[in-house]
Amino acid sequence: MIDVLVADDEAVVRAGISAILDAEPDLTVVGQAADGHQAIELISTLRPAVALMDIRMPGVDGIRATAEITALAPETRVVVLSSFGMDDYVFAALRAGAVGFLLKDAEPERLLDAVRLAAAGQTPLAPTVAKRLVEYVAAEDPVDSDIFQRLTRREAEVLQHIARGLSNAEIGAALGIGQATVKDHVTMILAKLGVRDRLHATIAAYEAGVVRPRRHHS
């Protein structure tokens, strides 16, 4: 059973999301929060596997709450919710420790998939905004890329494919190696970069200019 906390300042939204989750046999909503402060308090006690976190809430917003929850209960994986395809708040929440983001108007099936993916240690990203996340990160000032010198040539190749959203199976096929080997490389990449998951490895790579977005012509 996957325990979930839902944080949103709109009662109707909280109730709607909770109803969708509770209807699934493998998911249960253990708490609801109207703001970030309440979410932090509940998570410190309940320790759910996943927290669905609205960004714009009164008092303690979703960004501050995500940072505190990541420090307080790192086992709880935060997926931020946004009404917008992309904005500074979403990216700030990801940098604060969120593992992914989802649009509030997403289909129920995508919401359920996001919760299950997060609980399984993966990084759910709304497909319509993933590309824009990459473009946003690429527009930021580059950060120190010295840390990437620790990667072997093969690890650097794997990181390139991770940043483009490929699965382990797809990376293995592209590089002609087995999935188990890809998994080992991913584990080493995360450890060397000091990040918790593939999403944050991608963010770090784009920030440092190690990976650059593909250019599309209109």
Side-chain angles (χ1 to χ4, degrees), residues 56 81-87 90 101-104 129 132:
R56 298 179 179 180
L81 300 173
S82 175
S83 299
F84 307 95
M86 187 62 220
D87 59 22
V90 174
F101 64 85
L102 191 68
L103 296 179
K104 284 188 177 181
V129 294
R132 292 168 69 179

Side-chain angles (χ1 to χ4, degrees), residues 5-8 31-48 51-53 57-73 76 78:
L5 180 132
V6 178
D8 195 291
Q32 297 184 35
D35 57 41
H37 177 71
Q38 188 177 13
I40 294 167
E41 288 190 333
L42 288 174
I43 288 174
S44 67
T45 302
L46 300 172
R47 304 284 171 148
L52 293 175
M53 183 74 62
M57 295 184 290
V60 177
D61 63 21
I63 298 170
R64 285 177 55 197
T66 295
E68 292 195 33
I69 290 166
T70 300
L72 174 70
T76 296
V78 179

Side-chain angles (χ1 to χ4, degrees), residues 154 158 161 166-183 185 198:
R154 177 62 84 187
V158 171
H161 290 300
L166 273 63
S167 67
N168 284 358
E170 292 169 331
I171 294 173
L175 298 180
I177 56 180
Q179 289 189 53
T181 301
V182 174
K183 185 176 180 180
H185 285 315
R198 298 162 75 106

Side-chain angles (χ1 to χ4, degrees), residues 2-6 22 28-32 42 46-50:
I2 300 173
D3 292 344
V4 185
L5 180 132
V6 178
D22 279 332
T28 183
V29 176
V30 295
Q32 297 184 35
L42 288 174
L46 300 172
R47 304 284 171 148
V50 178

